[in-house]
Structures are given as structure tokens and as C-alpha cells.
Amino acid sequence: MAKTAETLDFDKLREECGVFAIWGAEDAAPCTALGLHALQHRGTEGAGIVSNQKGKFHFHKAMGKVGDNFNSAEVMEKLAGTAAIGHNRYSTAGEKGVINIQPFSVELEFGAFALAHNGNLTNAQDLRKTLINGGCIFQTTMDTEVVMHLTAHSRAMDIGDKIIDALSQVEGAYSIVAMDATNIYGVRDPYGIRPLVIGQLGKAYILTSETCALDIIGATYVRDVEAGEIVTINSKGITSRKFPRLPSKRFCVFEYVYFARPDSTIDGRHVYSIRKAIGRELALESHQAADIVVPVPDSGIPAAIGYAAQSGLPFEMGIIRSHYIGRTFIEPTDQVRHLGVKLKHNANTAIIKGKRIILIDDSIVRGTTSKKIVQMLKEAGAAEVHMRIASPPTTHSCFYGVDTPERSKLMAANHNVEEMRNMIGADSLAFISIDGLYRASGEAKGRNNAKPQFCDACFTGEYPVRIFDKDIEAKVA
Ligand code: AMP
């Protein structure tokens, strides 16, 4: 029997998630459900909402998509309250099942407390062992639970200080939203690797992963939470404090390349515009005579628009995507992934027959998608297929919250560009340079090697946060 996304074993310790928190709204839970719906691309495995009704917390968690599970009056009535936090889970960290769906909600010495996390901690296993040796009982296999225990153990007086105390012991990438009886909190790790923004809707405040989750409820963008900042939101408004001794910021450049929604703006940079600029840079860096520019939809579309504008070639939807199947990447066996690509994309034969095609995709990870698509275009009669990739070669795994396979499965970690071209079956293959990617992302001088402005570990192998947990470390090699 073919394995489905639900039955597969996951060998990784990572998660890609979306978070949302709202304070001071009569319809806190419906707003949170809508926000999570806008963040669905950050995680489709499961979702959870915890609401706060005058200090009493209610929760609902379910496997599957937000729209399928948070759509009934019954669920929304259960989630009464004027504040709420919510979470979309992608997969992989810990085991599957409702027990591992966030937010985590517990009763601490100071009352009810809930927390949700996007990112990945790189010393969670070590901390977990120490906590277990000290008598802590863990209910889940999620690294986020470590933060809960550390918060509970903190001797600081104020809950915000307890959270800072807890987070000063963890390493890795995280954007966290948390809630107690009277406040919501938002924290971004010292490098600001994952996104987190503040919004406002009337008198209500919002903390969420991306601005697209503000747009859906008509909230206005206030600002990004800064790297290493913890904000507290309550009846007095927003207060802010920072971790001591902050390093330079290193936001994840892959959020701009692929992961974030194109209509979001992160740290003042509009994701769609960056993707278009990447396409323009690609056209300048690796020009090729051709008839049309074709994206692999949807992720290759903005870069293909940029490439077409720069090269003067017509943009054509030479591949049509079915929107009724999930991302191919979610099914992690070669057998199912192979099937997934066929289900997802179809050649628009009348458009591509006899044409020399510039084919644009955002990235090559294992190479499965590119190989299938090139073959599909050739079978449909394309004269030539020149593949252009809107990111540099993915040579290293991510340990900061983007799901990537270990290095042995990364095509670019094991083959040079010519070998990859040959394996994919394209007539030519080129990737944007790391400097081109930085230029497209608004860094006019490219990557400053002494002090890079982004986390680009997946392309360079330079990991800004040390990898402490041994089994993660083994996968870096
Ligand atoms: P692959 O087929 O393994 O080379 O994967 C490349 C495809 O997966 C590209 O078309 C990307 O759009 C997509 N992709 C890249 N990284 C991720 C990720 N972390 N999660 C989900 N999809 C991804």
C-alpha cells in the first residue's frame, strides 16, 4: 500500500509553522482561525487555538487544515474569550498526532499559560535530558515543551522575565507567541531568523508570522518584532524589552525565496517584489536565447515574471497546476513524491510545443520536481528546456525551522551543476548567485562575506547558531 502523508515516518527534527495571537478582541478565536487560514502555507498537518475568557483558557486542536476544523459555530462558541493564540503545524518535530499540536497550554504557579512556537531549537534534546533528570515529566516529544518547563522553573517574578529567563537557555531559531491571564507575548530569537509582526485592529493587537494574516482580518501592520525583542501586550498597550548582548540580525533568506507568502512584507521587504527581482538578476546572470519563459507554478511565478521582464521574452503559463493536491514536498518518500508531481502539474502542450523554454523554479532540493517537469515538457514537444533556479544550490540542511532532508539527499550537496543538469535532463541549468540573491533582496553590494545580513546556511553552510544536539550535528556533516 502506498504510504500517505499521514502514515509516513518522519526522520527529521524540524518544523515549519505559523503563529497568531490576538489581544482585546470580542471575536478573538474567529480572528485567530482566519489568521491561521492565511498562514496555511506554513503548515497543514494540524492546527490549534487556545482562547482566554477572563483567565479561563479553552482550546481546540485538530489534525488537518484550518478551514476543515475551525469552521463551525460549535467550535467557536467553545473558544470564547477576548484573547487567543493559535498555531499551524507543518510536521516532523516529534511524533505526529493531536498531542503534539500547539499551542501548549498548562496551569503554572501563576495561573494558565499557553505558548506556540515557529522555528527549531538546536539544544532542545540536551535541555530535555537535564530537565528529565531533574524530575520533569514530558507529555509530548516537541522541543517547544522544553520552553514551557524552563518557564515554569524560572524564579523570575514577572512572567515576561520568566520567558526571557527560559529563552536565554535555549539556542536556535524561534518566533514565539504566548499568553497568560492578562497578557499576550511575542518573542523573536536573537538573530531574528523566523518572522514575527505586530498588527492592530481597532483596539485589538495582533502578533503573527506574516502580514498576510493581518490582511485577512483587515488589521493594519504596526511593525516587525525586532530580533531578540520580547513584546508584552495588555490593557496598557505594547511594552518592549530585549535580550542582552544581541548579535547582528540574520533573517532567513529562504523565507523570501520560497517559504513566505508572496503578498507578505517581512522586515520592510515585500516578498513578491524580491522574487521578481531574483528573476531579473537571473536573466542578467545567465542569459539564454529562448522563445518563452515558463514558471513551475506557483512558486516559480514571480521570478519568471521578473525574468521575462528583464529578458524581453514572453511569459507563458506552459505548466498548469492543480490546486487540489497539497505540496509535493509533504510526502517524503521518493515513490509518493514522484506520483505527487504528476498529479500536481500538467504541460500546457499547445503553448510549449516546438518552443525553446526558460523554465523557472524557486529551488532544487532532491531534484525530483525538476526532473519530472523537464521530462514532462520534453514529452509535450518542447524543443529545448533551459532551467533557471531562483536560489543558489541548496547544499546544506536547515536546522532552524525549514524542513529540508539531510545532506546525503540534497542533489547540490552531492553533484556539481553539470552533473545536476544531466540528471535533470535539461539543455542548460543555472542558479542565481548568492550575491545576486542578496542584491535582489535589497542588499545592493551583495553578500557581505565578513558580516552576511541573512541566514543563508542552506546555500553556504555557514550556520549562525551553533548546532548543539548530537543527532542534528551528525546531519550537518
Ligand atoms: P525537490 O523536488 O526535492 O527538488 O524539491 C524542490 C521543490 O520543492 C521546489 O519546486 C520547491 O518549490 C519545493 N520546496 C523547496 N523547499 C521546500 C520546503 N522546505 N518545503 C516544501 N517545499 C519545498
Side-chain angles (χ1 to χ4, degrees), residues 443-460:
E443 300 294 333
K445 294 196 175 123
R447 185 181 196 262
N448 175 350
N449 284 312
K451 216 174 165 199
Q453 306 87 328
F454 297 113
C455 174
D456 52 21
C458 52
F459 307 129
T460 61

PDB file of all heavy atoms in Angstrom, residues 443-460:
ATOM      1  N   GLU A 443      20.067  44.195  -0.844  1.00  0.00           N
ATOM      2  CA  GLU A 443      21.431  44.470  -0.372  1.00  0.00           C
ATOM      3  C   GLU A 443      22.270  44.792  -1.605  1.00  0.00           C
ATOM      4  O   GLU A 443      22.816  43.884  -2.246  1.00  0.00           O
ATOM      5  CB  GLU A 443      21.999  43.273   0.396  1.00  0.00           C
ATOM      6  CG  GLU A 443      21.200  42.887   1.630  1.00  0.00           C
ATOM      7  CD  GLU A 443      21.251  43.954   2.714  1.00  0.00           C
ATOM      8  OE1 GLU A 443      22.235  44.717   2.770  1.00  0.00           O
ATOM      9  OE2 GLU A 443      20.289  44.027   3.502  1.00  0.00           O
ATOM     10  N   ALA A 444      22.377  46.083  -1.932  1.00  0.00           N
ATOM     11  CA  ALA A 444      22.968  46.495  -3.209  1.00  0.00           C
ATOM     12  C   ALA A 444      24.364  45.925  -3.420  1.00  0.00           C
ATOM     13  O   ALA A 444      24.763  45.632  -4.548  1.00  0.00           O
ATOM     14  CB  ALA A 444      23.013  48.023  -3.281  1.00  0.00           C
ATOM     15  N   LYS A 445      25.122  45.751  -2.342  1.00  0.00           N
ATOM     16  CA  LYS A 445      26.510  45.295  -2.500  1.00  0.00           C
ATOM     17  C   LYS A 445      26.629  43.773  -2.448  1.00  0.00           C
ATOM     18  O   LYS A 445      27.732  43.240  -2.362  1.00  0.00           O
ATOM     19  CB  LYS A 445      27.383  45.918  -1.423  1.00  0.00           C
ATOM     20  CG  LYS A 445      27.496  47.427  -1.577  1.00  0.00           C
ATOM     21  CD  LYS A 445      28.656  47.966  -0.765  1.00  0.00           C
ATOM     22  CE  LYS A 445      28.820  49.445  -1.037  1.00  0.00           C
ATOM     23  NZ  LYS A 445      28.754  50.245   0.164  1.00  0.00           N
ATOM     24  N   GLY A 446      25.509  43.070  -2.461  1.00  0.00           N
ATOM     25  CA  GLY A 446      25.575  41.613  -2.409  1.00  0.00           C
ATOM     26  C   GLY A 446      25.829  41.124  -0.992  1.00  0.00           C
ATOM     27  O   GLY A 446      25.610  41.850  -0.026  1.00  0.00           O
ATOM     28  N   ARG A 447      26.294  39.884  -0.882  1.00  0.00           N
ATOM     29  CA  ARG A 447      26.547  39.302   0.438  1.00  0.00           C
ATOM     30  C   ARG A 447      27.858  39.865   0.973  1.00  0.00           C
ATOM     31  O   ARG A 447      28.893  39.746   0.352  1.00  0.00           O
ATOM     32  CB  ARG A 447      26.649  37.784   0.327  1.00  0.00           C
ATOM     33  CG  ARG A 447      26.798  37.071   1.663  1.00  0.00           C
ATOM     34  CD  ARG A 447      26.912  35.571   1.421  1.00  0.00           C
ATOM     35  NE  ARG A 447      26.678  34.794   2.623  1.00  0.00           N
ATOM     36  CZ  ARG A 447      27.639  34.311   3.397  1.00  0.00           C
ATOM     37  NH1 ARG A 447      28.899  34.566   3.128  1.00  0.00           N
ATOM     38  NH2 ARG A 447      27.334  33.580   4.456  1.00  0.00           N
ATOM     39  N   ASN A 448      27.769  40.467   2.138  1.00  0.00           N
ATOM     40  CA  ASN A 448      28.974  40.949   2.788  1.00  0.00           C
ATOM     41  C   ASN A 448      29.569  39.748   3.523  1.00  0.00           C
ATOM     42  O   ASN A 448      29.103  39.382   4.588  1.00  0.00           O
ATOM     43  CB  ASN A 448      28.590  42.081   3.740  1.00  0.00           C
ATOM     44  CG  ASN A 448      29.768  42.550   4.548  1.00  0.00           C
ATOM     45  OD1 ASN A 448      30.820  41.923   4.540  1.00  0.00           O
ATOM     46  ND2 ASN A 448      29.587  43.642   5.247  1.00  0.00           N
ATOM     47  N   ASN A 449      30.594  39.147   2.951  1.00  0.00           N
ATOM     48  CA  ASN A 449      31.078  37.876   3.488  1.00  0.00           C
ATOM     49  C   ASN A 449      31.526  37.944   4.936  1.00  0.00           C
ATOM     50  O   ASN A 449      31.393  36.984   5.675  1.00  0.00           O
ATOM     51  CB  ASN A 449      32.205  37.338   2.612  1.00  0.00           C
ATOM     52  CG  ASN A 449      31.634  36.754   1.335  1.00  0.00           C
ATOM     53  OD1 ASN A 449      30.683  35.978   1.382  1.00  0.00           O
ATOM     54  ND2 ASN A 449      32.162  37.156   0.205  1.00  0.00           N
ATOM     55  N   ALA A 450      32.063  39.089   5.319  1.00  0.00           N
ATOM     56  CA  ALA A 450      32.510  39.208   6.710  1.00  0.00           C
ATOM     57  C   ALA A 450      31.312  39.294   7.641  1.00  0.00           C
ATOM     58  O   ALA A 450      31.377  38.888   8.791  1.00  0.00           O
ATOM     59  CB  ALA A 450      33.381  40.440   6.857  1.00  0.00           C
ATOM     60  N   LYS A 451      30.225  39.815   7.145  1.00  0.00           N
ATOM     61  CA  LYS A 451      29.063  40.058   8.001  1.00  0.00           C
ATOM     62  C   LYS A 451      27.782  39.886   7.200  1.00  0.00           C
ATOM     63  O   LYS A 451      27.108  40.859   6.857  1.00  0.00           O
ATOM     64  CB  LYS A 451      29.152  41.512   8.515  1.00  0.00           C
ATOM     65  CG  LYS A 451      28.664  41.654   9.929  1.00  0.00           C
ATOM     66  CD  LYS A 451      28.925  43.069  10.408  1.00  0.00           C
ATOM     67  CE  LYS A 451      28.119  43.325  11.645  1.00  0.00           C
ATOM     68  NZ  LYS A 451      27.966  44.739  11.920  1.00  0.00           N
ATOM     69  N   PRO A 452      27.442  38.651   6.822  1.00  0.00           N
ATOM     70  CA  PRO A 452      26.242  38.467   5.993  1.00  0.00           C
ATOM     71  C   PRO A 452      24.980  38.937   6.700  1.00  0.00           C
ATOM     72  O   PRO A 452      24.859  38.797   7.916  1.00  0.00           O
ATOM     73  CB  PRO A 452      26.213  36.970   5.724  1.00  0.00           C
ATOM     74  CG  PRO A 452      27.182  36.364   6.649  1.00  0.00           C
ATOM     75  CD  PRO A 452      28.116  37.407   7.135  1.00  0.00           C
ATOM     76  N   GLN A 453      24.077  39.500   5.925  1.00  0.00           N
ATOM     77  CA  GLN A 453      22.889  40.123   6.510  1.00  0.00           C
ATOM     78  C   GLN A 453      21.762  39.128   6.756  1.00  0.00           C
ATOM     79  O   GLN A 453      20.825  39.424   7.484  1.00  0.00           O
ATOM     80  CB  GLN A 453      22.392  41.235   5.561  1.00  0.00           C
ATOM     81  CG  GLN A 453      23.445  42.275   5.189  1.00  0.00           C
ATOM     82  CD  GLN A 453      24.301  41.892   3.986  1.00  0.00           C
ATOM     83  OE1 GLN A 453      24.576  40.726   3.727  1.00  0.00           O
ATOM     84  NE2 GLN A 453      24.737  42.893   3.236  1.00  0.00           N
ATOM     85  N   PHE A 454      21.812  37.968   6.107  1.00  0.00           N
ATOM     86  CA  PHE A 454      20.753  36.960   6.262  1.00  0.00           C
ATOM     87  C   PHE A 454      21.342  35.654   6.781  1.00  0.00           C
ATOM     88  O   PHE A 454      22.550  35.420   6.677  1.00  0.00           O
ATOM     89  CB  PHE A 454      20.096  36.677   4.901  1.00  0.00           C
ATOM     90  CG  PHE A 454      19.399  37.860   4.297  1.00  0.00           C
ATOM     91  CD1 PHE A 454      19.890  38.447   3.137  1.00  0.00           C
ATOM     92  CD2 PHE A 454      18.250  38.380   4.884  1.00  0.00           C
ATOM     93  CE1 PHE A 454      19.241  39.540   2.574  1.00  0.00           C
ATOM     94  CE2 PHE A 454      17.593  39.465   4.318  1.00  0.00           C
ATOM     95  CZ  PHE A 454      18.094  40.052   3.165  1.00  0.00           C
ATOM     96  N   CYS A 455      20.448  34.775   7.254  1.00  0.00           N
ATOM     97  CA  CYS A 455      20.862  33.389   7.446  1.00  0.00           C
ATOM     98  C   CYS A 455      20.723  32.724   6.082  1.00  0.00           C
ATOM     99  O   CYS A 455      19.635  32.670   5.518  1.00  0.00           O
ATOM    100  CB  CYS A 455      20.000  32.651   8.473  1.00  0.00           C
ATOM    101  SG  CYS A 455      20.461  30.901   8.534  1.00  0.00           S
ATOM    102  N   ASP A 456      21.831  32.254   5.545  1.00  0.00           N
ATOM    103  CA  ASP A 456      21.829  31.588   4.232  1.00  0.00           C
ATOM    104  C   ASP A 456      22.529  30.239   4.345  1.00  0.00           C
ATOM    105  O   ASP A 456      23.149  29.763   3.396  1.00  0.00           O
ATOM    106  CB  ASP A 456      22.509  32.482   3.186  1.00  0.00           C
ATOM    107  CG  ASP A 456      23.890  32.957   3.627  1.00  0.00           C
ATOM    108  OD1 ASP A 456      24.490  32.319   4.506  1.00  0.00           O
ATOM    109  OD2 ASP A 456      24.366  33.980   3.081  1.00  0.00           O
ATOM    110  N   ALA A 457      22.443  29.635   5.536  1.00  0.00           N
ATOM    111  CA  ALA A 457      23.173  28.392   5.801  1.00  0.00           C
ATOM    112  C   ALA A 457      22.855  27.306   4.782  1.00  0.00           C
ATOM    113  O   ALA A 457      23.732  26.513   4.423  1.00  0.00           O
ATOM    114  CB  ALA A 457      22.861  27.898   7.208  1.00  0.00           C
ATOM    115  N   CYS A 458      21.630  27.250   4.277  1.00  0.00           N
ATOM    116  CA  CYS A 458      21.268  26.198   3.317  1.00  0.00           C
ATOM    117  C   CYS A 458      22.032  26.350   2.002  1.00  0.00           C
ATOM    118  O   CYS A 458      22.176  25.386   1.247  1.00  0.00           O
ATOM    119  CB  CYS A 458      19.754  26.178   3.080  1.00  0.00           C
ATOM    120  SG  CYS A 458      19.039  27.762   2.652  1.00  0.00           S
ATOM    121  N   PHE A 459      22.538  27.562   1.732  1.00  0.00           N
ATOM    122  CA  PHE A 459      23.292  27.787   0.495  1.00  0.00           C
ATOM    123  C   PHE A 459      24.805  27.885   0.730  1.00  0.00           C
ATOM    124  O   PHE A 459      25.591  27.738  -0.201  1.00  0.00           O
ATOM    125  CB  PHE A 459      22.823  29.080  -0.191  1.00  0.00           C
ATOM    126  CG  PHE A 459      21.330  29.133  -0.412  1.00  0.00           C
ATOM    127  CD1 PHE A 459      20.585  30.229   0.001  1.00  0.00           C
ATOM    128  CD2 PHE A 459      20.658  28.075  -1.025  1.00  0.00           C
ATOM    129  CE1 PHE A 459      19.210  30.278  -0.199  1.00  0.00           C
ATOM    130  CE2 PHE A 459      19.291  28.118  -1.230  1.00  0.00           C
ATOM    131  CZ  PHE A 459      18.564  29.226  -0.811  1.00  0.00           C
ATOM    132  N   THR A 460      25.207  28.206   1.955  1.00  0.00           N
ATOM    133  CA  THR A 460      26.632  28.456   2.214  1.00  0.00           C
ATOM    134  C   THR A 460      27.231  27.506   3.251  1.00  0.00           C
ATOM    135  O   THR A 460      28.447  27.392   3.343  1.00  0.00           O
ATOM    136  CB  THR A 460      26.834  29.891   2.754  1.00  0.00           C
ATOM    137  OG1 THR A 460      26.112  29.995   3.994  1.00  0.00           O
ATOM    138  CG2 THR A 460      26.345  30.941   1.779  1.00  0.00           C
TER     139      THR A 460
END
